[in-house]
Amino acid sequence: METHVSTLAATGNLTKVSDPEKHPKGTDARVLLSSVFGPYAQDDEFGSRSINPMELYHNQVTRAQGSFSLRMFHRSWGIMMIQANISAPCTVLDFPTRKDFARELKTHQYDVVGISSIIVNVGKVREMCRMIRELSPGSKIAVGGHVTAIPGIEKMIDADHIVRGEGVSWMRRYLGEDESAPIHHPAIVSGMRTRIMGIRLPERKGATAATIIPSVGCPMGCNFCTTSAFFGGKGKFVNFFETGDELFEVMSQMENELRVNSFFVMDENFLLHRERAMRLLELMKAGGKSWTMSVFASANAIRKYSMQELVELGVNWLWMGLESPQAGYSKLQGSDTRQLTRELREHGIRVQGSTIIGLEHHTPDNIISEIEHAVSHDTDFHQFMLYTPVPGTPLYQQMADEGRMLRDVDLADVHGQFKFNFKHAAISREDSKRFLDWAFWRDFEINGPSLYRISRTLMAGWKRYKDWPDARVRERFAREMGRLSGVYSSALWAMERQFRKVDSRVSEQIRALRLEFKQESGIMSRMLPAVLGPVLLWTTRREERRLALGKTYEPPTILERSNWQEV
Ligand code: B12
Ligand code: SF4
């Protein structure tokens, strides 16, 4: 069987991919788009790993925080985006089990089956292709997402089309649709099934942010960065919404549809595009929008804004790289990141730091002080990842050229949370895991649970902005305090007690913050901890026991059809 490989050819705006063979049925073709099958948080022969659950925070951010770890799932936005932008009858199957996937193939006839995957899940893609050939031999198989960056992927899986780079334009072309038509943004609730301290949070319409995807890729082109490389590398990216006006329109639509005023902006370096952000701010001001935004941005991009601009823009959560200053990444140039993160928190902006363990200059002698430096940022959240040459990146190419890639490392283990997949000049493979684990633990021990830290940042923002002249800004801090102060106070009550056994100094700090909340809260919120605090302490302890027995969490299977008529 011949496999067609489509590669992204130009970026800057919507990607052009090399001419895909068109499907003969065009927009009448019935399309199934699926993510890879679960369960995920277990060790199995298809590449699931218990250390690599389908959870953002618990996987790579709060995983050492026990019952205080933030647990939540995120949908597979790439295939949702493709579904929303084709007129063919289409089913999205998210997080199926193998059984669900087989059932869908047997009960419906699909002309095209698209699988979305990242590199670690290549074993699942192989199995899904095998299942499709067996259960639905008439279907064409298209595989997209980061998994396609693996060199020689054509020989590892039995697919008809391997699609590298942006997928909406590819699928539109494949189905004979206008690939340059405006992008229709699907309504995406950013997270689901959120749990913390042993409690699942209620899912109320409007309570969870909407995900907005303005672009894919990042022009900064850091050598290890897989998202940047996948969408064109240095200087390139793919914009779905070019201007502040377009973005404002999409956000207004989501505001209406999902009843939200907070947004998770899934753009690798949102603040880099200042003109777009400032136009968005202008429109937010004119429309009296008291929105909040969680964004990713590099330090050099953040420095393009004053704190006031960020606050007015509604930025209340910022994910930034804190790679060691000695590594020489241009995104950090001219930034004292410790001062920057402190300043952001003082303005009520939660900071999620991201630090790489095992950079080229790291040695067993300096790694501890590098981790201590990272931890000293006292960010609200801290992600630690191993320096990992991932196929498709300049770093991978360099390591391969230097003969430093380790053979016999299963791709399912190349996720940055296990061990090195390359030969480091000074740190052994075994030690890489030890240092990584220590970094997570140290951050937790010194800085306390992230839930405590985010309540502290909210308190700082509230005190600073509760009487601010701009009503939009006042309103959003008041909204958050009104909604959360009682819950946070109760959680702080329980955390203070539970954290005593980890570090009494942090427990004292938690207590001091709880008293501040008491002072700043309304009467109802002030009374809540007496009731909710002991409940949370009990659920926290119950959760600790469950986790000790190996409890894991899996996302639900979701099936969504569009342009659909049963045949
Ligand atoms: C949300 C997210 C998650 C979610 C899960 C999402 C899901 N349902 O699978 C969570 C938080 C659970 C997660 C977990 C992990 N993730 Co993750 N994640 C992301 C993130 C932040 C956003 C993905 C996204 O929606 N992007 C926006 C959409 C529009 O882009 P897209 O998915 O690439 O899709 C486009 C194209 O790729 C293509 N396409 C995609 N699918 C298909 C299918 C077909 C048929 C076609 C034609 C085209 C196509 O078209 C789409 C539109 O252009 C990305 C970073 C990023 N900025 O992309 C990392 C990212 C995908 N994750 C990554 C990794 C490594 C992981 C983890 C291993 C954790 C870790 N240790 O880092 C785990 C793996 C969990 C597991 N067991 O599988 C890497 C992948 C690296 C690689 N080269 O494979 C990324 C790129 C982050 C990074 N820079 O390192 N992740
Ligand atoms: S700034 Fe961040 S997203 Fe951009 S290339 Fe560097 S690591 Fe990747």
Side-chain angles (χ1 to χ4, degrees):
M1 177 139 327
E2 196 190 343
T3 307
H4 298 263
V5 181
S6 300
T7 312
L8 132 115
T11 45
N13 46 36
L14 209 58
T15 325
K16 296 259 184 294
V17 291
S18 72
D19 207 7
E21 181 198 354
K22 285 206 177 89
H23 195 280
K25 289 197 181 168
T27 51
D28 289 332
R30 292 166 82 82
V31 180
L32 170 63
L33 298 173
S34 182
S35 53
V36 296
F37 60 82
Y40 309 95
Q42 58 167 38
D43 296 321
D44 71 20
E45 81 258 40
F46 300 112
S48 281
R49 295 288 185 266
S50 52
I51 198 183
N52 191 24
M54 195 50 88
E55 295 168 273
L56 171 59
Y57 288 92
H58 193 65
N59 185 320
Q60 63 219 51
V61 185
T62 53
R63 73 176 168 85
Q65 299 194 10
S67 56
F68 300 117
S69 179
L70 179 56
R71 321 280 307 237
M72 66 162 79
F73 302 106
H74 300 274
R75 294 284 309 276
S76 303
W77 301 323
I79 48 179
M80 290 175 81
M81 199 87 189
I82 296 174
Q83 181 185 39
N85 286 284
I86 56 175
S87 50
C90 179
T91 302
V92 158
L93 187 55
D94 217 353
F95 311 122
T97 58
R98 275 171 86 220
K99 234 180 178 170
D100 296 327
F101 185 60
R103 189 185 319 115
E104 190 56 27
L105 290 173
K106 282 194 268 190
T107 51
H108 295 86
Q109 224 172 14
Y110 286 104
D111 301 297
V112 181
V113 182
I115 304 168
S116 179
S117 174
I118 62 175
I119 288 176
V120 280
N121 295 320
V122 62
K124 298 184 180 205
V125 178
R126 184 188 301 124
E127 171 64 5
M128 289 170 88
C129 292
R130 190 198 64 72
M131 289 167 72
I132 300 164
R133 295 291 186 224
E134 182 188 315
L135 302 174
S136 181
S139 302
K140 289 283 181 196
I141 305 176
V143 172
H146 289 267
V147 73
T148 61
I150 301 174
I153 181 80
E154 305 77 28
K155 298 197 179 69
M156 297 165 82
I157 58 173
D158 181 10
D160 300 297
H161 302 282
I162 288 176
V163 184
R164 302 206 170 104
E166 207 287 299
V168 171
S169 55
W170 184 91
M171 193 59 89
R172 281 173 163 176
R173 263 155 79 100
Y174 185 55
L175 299 173
E177 300 194 20
D178 176 7
E179 67 174 297
S180 57
I183 291 287
H184 176 251
H185 200 296
I188 304 175
V189 176
S190 75
M192 56 183 174
R193 302 232 170 153
T194 307
R195 288 182 73 83
I196 194 157
M197 297 175 85
I199 282 207
R200 184 164 147 198
L201 306 188
E203 270 164 26
R204 198 170 39 78
K205 191 160 185 168
T208 312
T211 296
I212 301 285
I213 309 173
S215 74
V216 283
C218 174
M220 294 305 286
C222 300
N223 64 342
F224 59 82
C225 183
T226 161
T227 21
S228 178
F230 194 63
F231 295 99
K234 210 176 178 76
K236 310 259 178 67
F237 61 102
V238 181
N239 244 342
F240 292 131
F241 304 102
E242 203 94 39
T243 62
D245 294 74
E246 285 173 304
L247 212 49
F248 182 76
E249 202 186 308
V250 171
M251 291 167 80
S252 303
Q253 274 167 20
M254 294 306 130
E255 179 187 35
N256 287 333
E257 216 167 308
L258 297 171
R259 301 257 151 262
V260 291
N261 38 38
S262 58
F263 300 89
F264 177 84
V265 185
M266 186 56 251
D267 184 313
E268 288 288 25
N269 208 334
F270 178 72
L271 295 176
L272 202 56
H273 314 289
R274 185 177 155 87
E275 204 184 317
R276 182 175 71 181
M278 292 314 284
R279 175 65 183 149
L280 178 63
L281 174 56
E282 206 177 304
L283 293 167
M284 281 169 62
K285 280 184 175 169
K289 301 290 187 193
S290 174
W291 290 340
T292 57
M293 261 178 254
S294 304
V295 304
F296 296 75
S298 51
N300 66 339
I302 299 167
R303 277 295 177 214
K304 293 180 176 192
Y305 301 79
S306 66
M307 284 297 147
Q308 198 174 322
E309 283 170 341
L310 292 175
V311 170
E312 288 185 344
L313 199 52
V315 174
N316 73 345
W317 185 93
L318 226 161
W319 183 318
M320 65 186 289
L322 297 175
E323 277 75 74
S324 159
Q326 288 179 50
Y329 287 108
S330 58
K331 63 179 172 177
L332 296 177
Q333 251 160 37
S335 297
D336 173 348
T337 50
R338 269 205 298 202
Q339 192 209 326
L340 178 59
T341 51
R342 190 181 328 114
E343 216 180 321
L344 288 163
R345 287 192 288 105
E346 285 167 3
H347 287 264
I349 300 175
R350 290 164 198 128
V351 181
Q352 171 147 342
S354 176
T355 293
I356 295 183
I357 305 292
L359 289 166
E360 294 282 5
H361 70 277
H362 285 159
T363 66
D365 291 334
N366 68 20
I367 185 85
I368 297 295
S369 62
E370 291 262 317
I371 292 172
E372 295 285 16
H373 171 76
V375 166
S376 73
H377 284 78
D378 195 6
T379 51
D380 298 85
F381 292 98
H382 212 130
Q383 165 181 257
F384 294 94
M385 274 278 174
L386 286 180
Y387 194 50
T388 305
V390 176
T393 59
L395 179 64
Y396 179 86
Q397 197 51 51
Q398 178 206 329
M399 292 286 179
D401 293 347
E402 292 171 6
R404 291 170 64 194
M405 293 308 300
L406 297 177
R407 286 168 210 277
D408 304 328
V409 175
D410 191 329
L411 284 170
D413 293 317
V414 182
H415 49 67
Q417 290 298 327
F418 185 48
K419 295 174 182 174
F420 281 152
N421 64 336
F422 72 106
K423 194 165 170 6
H424 190 277
I427 296 174
S428 72
R429 190 159 189 260
E430 293 309 312
D431 280 348
S432 67
K433 170 94 179 111
R434 272 198 280 276
F435 289 131
L436 178 72
D437 289 348
W438 189 77
F440 278 110
W441 172 248
R442 189 69 177 154
D443 182 59
F444 184 47
E445 183 191 40
I446 293 289
N447 298 321
S450 287
L451 184 58
Y452 151 61
R453 302 187 232 170
I454 58 175
S455 14
R456 186 185 54 189
T457 302
L458 171 62
M459 178 56 70
W462 160 253
K463 282 179 152 176
R464 194 170 200 127
Y465 290 105
K466 63 182 174 183
D467 300 317
W468 200 248
D470 183 341
R472 293 178 319 110
V473 173
R474 251 183 1 245
E475 190 186 317
R476 77 175 170 81
F477 281 101
R479 201 167 55 221
E480 233 182 314
M481 270 301 270
R483 196 161 52 89
L484 293 173
S485 65
V487 179
Y488 278 178
S489 303
S490 312
L492 290 167
W493 186 92
M495 271 186 268
E496 178 189 329
R497 278 154 187 81
Q498 185 69 0
F499 215 73
R500 271 183 205 142
K501 65 181 179 200
V502 181
D503 191 315
S504 58
R505 181 190 50 90
V506 177
S507 173
E508 275 309 305
Q509 289 167 1
I510 296 175
R511 178 185 166 76
L513 180 64
R514 179 170 64 79
L515 296 177
E516 262 186 89
F517 263 96
K518 197 169 175 185
Q519 211 174 1
E520 295 290 329
S521 299
I523 181 83
M524 286 306 282
S525 301
R526 227 175 293 164
M527 283 160 60
L528 199 58
V531 185
L532 190 56
V535 175
L536 286 177
L537 187 59
W538 182 79
T539 56
T540 297
R541 290 179 173 162
R542 184 188 57 179
E543 187 74 355
E544 289 290 348
R545 286 193 297 276
R546 283 181 180 165
L547 295 173
L549 292 172
K551 174 82 186 144
T552 53
Y553 293 97
E554 295 290 343
T557 302
I558 294 168
L559 185 144
E560 281 165 342
R561 304 198 198 276
S562 56
N563 311 316
W564 195 260
Q565 269 188 331
E566 289 294 345
V567 283

